[in-house]
Amino acid sequence: MLRYIVRRCLLMIPVVFVISVIVFYIIQLPPGDFVSTYAAKMAAAGDVMTTEDMARMREQYGLDQPWFIQYFYWAKNILLHFDFGYSYNFNKPVTAVIGQFLPLTLIVSLVTMAFTYLIAIPVGIYSAIKQYTVGDYIFTAIGFLGMATPHFLLAVILMYLSYVYLGDPLLGLFSEEHANSAWSVAKVLDLLKHMIIPIIVIGMASTAELMRVMRGQMLEEINKPNVVTARAKGLSEMKIILKYPTRAAINPIISTIGWSLTHIFTGSTITAIVLNLPLQGPVMYNALLAQDMYLAGTWLFFMAILTVLGTLISDILLAWLDPKIRTEYRGA
């Protein structure tokens, strides 16, 4: 198992390098750059920048160099100084911008991910065991509704219901009195209250999808010979369900961890805009519009790293849960 983990970690190094090159190249594909976007904004405000002013600004920011030269300095600064560049839009280092928004983004995303798996797996098991019962039909209907309802529409509906029944639409992640205050028990409780709607909205589609996957996998496993044999031996039904079909059916769910977290990150952007959440999604969206390449590139690179790490965690968990994977690796 240790050899497997070490080998997978070593394979991550070239993957991360290739991803960084692709990300940096892609963010420079749209025509123009930050200077041209900035000049257009200045022109709209009635202040026209000359060609010489734009050239000096490009030279100042290093945007007059070919993309591979810019990438070389960006990668060198990351490796030697953990410096991801400067955000032209925010007028501060990229690390400062990400540090401002990343903690709350991670909190919301990780709690949403936990909500997704803690709801989807038990409900999927229940629906398979109680196939074609009233409970199964109810959860199936909720699942289809969750997958079909757009995030922004569900957010608006929940805000409306919250305002009607609680007198507060629960916009943002903090009430006005706690937004700029120091952390305290009251502020944490206020954060938890405001996280209810974002977690439901962001996690609903993923939860509904994983419920259906878990149900389908359980139905395939629940009547296999090993399960029938266990029943013939007189084992309790609960022990049989947890030991055999659940362990086999959960493999496809575990394999989704690699993309689930980044899916939650990207899926939260529209929700964050609608609910006025101080998360990284709207910042990323504005960075792309303004062609703030170092901020946009760093965030895309970070999400790619999350996908690689998530895939590594998925592979390790699958190897731990499924002896066949460990056996195939040793035989390779």
Side-chain angles (χ1 to χ4, degrees):
M1 191 69 183
L2 181 60
R3 287 176 57 199
Y4 177 79
I5 294 172
V6 171
R7 183 181 177 185
R8 294 292 288 108
C9 289
L10 291 175
L11 285 173
M12 286 175 56
I13 297 173
V15 171
V16 169
F17 168 71
V18 172
I19 287 173
S20 68
V21 175
I22 293 173
V23 163
F24 198 87
Y25 178 72
I26 286 176
I27 60 174
Q28 300 210 30
L29 284 179
D33 52 22
F34 174 78
V35 174
S36 57
T37 304
Y38 179 78
K41 289 181 180 178
M42 295 292 289
D47 189 0
V48 178
M49 291 182 66
T50 64
T51 305
E52 290 76 15
D53 291 335
M54 294 174 67
R56 279 195 300 270
M57 196 172 179
R58 285 194 176 93
E59 185 179 358
Q60 178 186 350
Y61 289 137
L63 300 177
D64 57 335
Q65 301 291 332
W67 75 268
F68 49 88
I69 299 295
Q70 296 180 44
Y71 170 79
F72 171 77
Y73 286 113
W74 184 60
K76 185 186 75 169
N77 288 332
I78 291 174
L79 291 173
L80 298 181
H81 310 292
F82 200 69
D83 179 7
F84 288 86
Y86 195 81
S87 171
Y88 313 131
N89 209 29
F90 282 85
N91 251 348
K92 59 174 70 172
V94 168
T95 50
V97 178
I98 291 181
Q100 179 181 348
F101 295 96
L102 185 60
L104 285 175
T105 304
L106 281 175
I107 290 172
V108 172
S109 298
L110 291 175
V111 173
T112 303
M113 193 172 178
F115 165 83
T116 297
Y117 284 91
L118 290 175
I119 296 296
I121 293 174
V123 170
I125 294 172
Y126 173 86
S127 291
I129 295 172
K130 304 293 184 181
Q131 187 182 18
Y132 302 137
T133 62
V134 174
D136 180 32
Y137 285 126
I138 290 173
F139 285 127
T140 298
I142 293 173
F144 285 137
L145 189 63
M147 287 188 287
T149 306
H151 284 182
F152 71 90
L153 179 59
L154 184 57
V156 171
I157 292 172
L158 291 179
M159 279 193 300
Y160 172 77
L161 294 176
S162 176
Y163 179 75
V164 170
Y165 292 104
L166 301 177
D168 185 353
L170 295 179
L171 281 170
L173 286 178
F174 298 101
S175 302
E176 190 174 341
E177 61 270 21
H178 293 292
N180 299 311
S181 64
W183 282 99
S184 62
V185 174
K187 184 168 183 175
V188 171
L189 293 175
D190 186 63
L191 172 62
L192 293 176
K193 180 179 72 174
H194 282 77
M195 281 176 62
I196 294 173
I197 292 179
I199 288 171
I200 293 174
V201 173
I202 299 170
M204 189 64 175
S206 296
T207 303
E209 183 178 352
L210 291 180
M211 279 167 46
R212 304 302 301 166
V213 172
M214 190 67 190
R215 180 182 183 274
Q217 291 296 317
M218 283 293 294
L219 288 174
E220 286 186 12
E221 298 289 338
I222 207 166
N223 290 313
K224 282 192 172 180
N226 61 334
V227 179
V228 175
T229 302
R231 287 197 183 101
K233 289 181 178 180
L235 295 177
S236 67
E237 189 66 18
M238 182 59 68
K239 187 174 182 180
I240 292 171
I241 293 297
L242 294 177
K243 187 175 181 180
Y244 297 109
T246 299
R247 189 167 182 176
I250 206 170
N251 282 2
I253 305 296
I254 296 298
S255 66
T256 64
I257 291 176
W259 53 263
S260 288
L261 190 55
T262 49
H263 176 71
I264 289 171
F265 268 100
T266 54
S268 66
T269 301
I270 296 177
T271 305
I273 294 172
V274 173
L275 294 175
N276 193 29
L277 304 178
L279 302 181
Q280 193 70 40
V283 176
M284 172 66 181
Y285 173 72
N286 291 325
L288 289 171
L289 288 180
Q291 293 186 292
D292 192 351
M293 66 177 190
Y294 291 119
L295 179 56
T298 299
W299 185 243
L300 288 173
F301 182 55
F302 176 72
M303 287 195 294
I305 294 294
L306 278 181
T307 303
V308 173
L309 288 175
T311 304
L312 173 63
I313 293 170
S314 298
D315 290 345
I316 292 171
L317 289 175
L318 285 172
W320 176 62
L321 287 170
D322 193 343
K324 290 187 294 184
I325 295 177
R326 296 197 296 271
T327 303
E328 288 171 2
Y329 172 72
R330 284 197 295 267

